[in-house]
Amino acid sequence: MIYLKSDQEIEVMKKSGRLAAELLDMIEAHVKPGVTTLELNDICHEYTVSRGAIPAPLNYKGFPKSICTSVNDVVCHGIPSSKTRLKEGDIINIDVTPIVEGYHGDASRTYLVGNCSEKTKKLVRVTKECLDQAIAVVRPGARVGDIGAAIQKHAHANGYSVVRDFVGHGIGKNFHEDPQIFHYGEPGRGVRLEAGMVFTIEPMINEGDWRTKVKKDGWTAVTLDGSLSAQFEHTLAIRSDGRVEILTVRD
Ligand code: MF3
Ligand code: CO
Ligand code: CO
């Protein structure tokens, strides 16, 4: 069931979205060779609680930390650890979801660690472009399939694959709500987008095959072939007047 949000609720969700964007801006300076993903977690945790917000990932279905940190072939849901130390040329996706006044804001970016190869930089750039091109098709009356098709088209044109095992999602008082936002699909198919919908788009794009597996920790999803994977995520809202607003940005 899809919970539609009033403009008033969307205004509240702009607060959690704004904090997510602030977190992702703030943490960028700390993403350097030598830092551990646990240190990045702790910095984000402190920043979140200092704003009176709650980090939604912590204890969510048993997830043990406050953010997700997904390095190189980790597709998503990487668990911050003192054993995972970033090195020059790595990429890391940091995914944050603060709760403000009961509403979630969900966003992620992939960062370059020091100097990366042109090949790596291209994957990250194209993944960001996939998200931007998907956002551009969002309007009342468009379909979820239009979003997926836009992502798939740009990824495939660049020789990449689109992860199918994880989807974007409705969001609000719950971390994950209907509808599911597939990152692949056919134009004109799927759920019709309408005013009041608030959802994420969060494409995961692989250099190699799209298939993934989850490690024994029950969370860490990696590419089956060990290839590099990148991801970007925004939370979007469709206002009552039909305007599309990206919530996970700063003023
Ligand atoms: N933030 C992720 C998403 O985009 C979900 C993380 S669930 C967690 O949907 F438990 F791993 F935090
Ligand atoms: Co999400
Ligand atoms: Co997220």
Side-chain angles (χ1 to χ4, degrees):
M1 166 181 176
I2 298 173
Y3 297 107
L4 298 177
K5 279 88 184 172
S6 65
D7 286 326
Q8 213 175 321
E9 286 177 288
I10 292 170
E11 284 304 319
V12 176
M13 292 193 73
K14 281 169 86 165
K15 299 185 193 180
S16 53
R18 190 180 303 128
L19 180 55
E22 269 182 48
L23 277 158
L24 294 176
D25 281 353
M26 178 279 297
I27 203 63
E28 182 164 22
H30 298 276
V31 178
K32 284 192 227 145
V35 75
T36 69
T37 53
L38 184 63
E39 288 165 343
L40 297 174
N41 175 82
D42 294 350
I43 295 164
C44 287
H45 180 92
E46 284 310 313
Y47 192 95
T48 303
V49 298
S50 78
R51 295 305 177 92
I54 299 165
L58 186 60
N59 301 322
Y60 176 78
K61 296 185 176 174
F63 190 81
K65 297 292 171 192
S66 298
I67 62 171
C68 295
T69 50
S70 302
V71 178
N72 295 338
D73 65 328
V74 179
V75 171
C76 63
H77 301 167
I79 301 173
S81 164
S82 61
K83 290 178 187 151
T84 307
R85 201 173 285 283
L86 298 182
K87 55 182 196 308
E88 186 99 22
D90 284 346
I91 57 172
I92 178 175
N93 175 278
I94 298 180
D95 192 331
V96 300
T97 313
I99 306 170
V100 176
E101 293 173 34
Y103 287 90
H104 294 68
D106 192 2
S108 83
R109 293 180 200 159
T110 297
Y111 303 85
L112 306 172
V113 182
N115 290 311
C116 290
S117 70
E118 289 304 319
K119 190 164 169 274
T120 297
K121 285 196 271 190
K122 184 185 168 194
L123 174 70
V124 174
R125 173 176 57 78
V126 170
T127 303
K128 175 67 165 58
E129 290 167 356
C130 283
L131 174 57
D132 293 341
Q133 292 183 21
I135 291 170
V137 307
V138 174
R139 59 172 178 78
R143 304 284 198 120
V144 166
D146 300 339
I147 293 173
I151 292 165
Q152 208 173 12
K153 185 176 176 212
H154 193 56
H156 288 178
N158 286 281
Y160 301 140
S161 69
V162 179
V163 170
R164 303 171 84 97
D165 304 327
F166 302 92
V167 296
H169 49 92
I171 183 167
K173 288 182 178 165
N174 304 297
F175 200 159
H176 298 102
E177 300 181 355
D178 287 339
Q180 294 189 80
I181 307 294
F182 298 94
H183 301 120
Y184 57 92
E186 289 173 51
R189 300 288 188 98
V191 170
R192 197 181 287 279
L193 303 179
E194 55 175 301
M197 285 186 178
V198 182
F199 57 87
T200 74
I201 306 177
E202 48 183 298
M204 287 141 274
I205 305 297
N206 296 353
E207 264 192 35
D209 191 271
W210 60 267
R211 287 174 184 80
T212 68
K213 67 169 184 206
V214 175
K215 287 194 170 180
K216 284 201 207 88
D217 61 23
W219 283 104
T220 311
V222 295
T223 58
L224 203 53
D225 62 7
S227 70
L228 211 56
S229 185
Q231 180 180 26
F232 285 84
E233 175 175 28
H234 270 307
T235 300
L236 316 178
I238 308 181
R239 310 283 300 222
S240 60
D241 64 3
R243 261 186 324 114
V244 176
E245 196 161 28
I246 303 175
L247 302 185
T248 40
V249 290
R250 299 178 74 168
D251 292 325

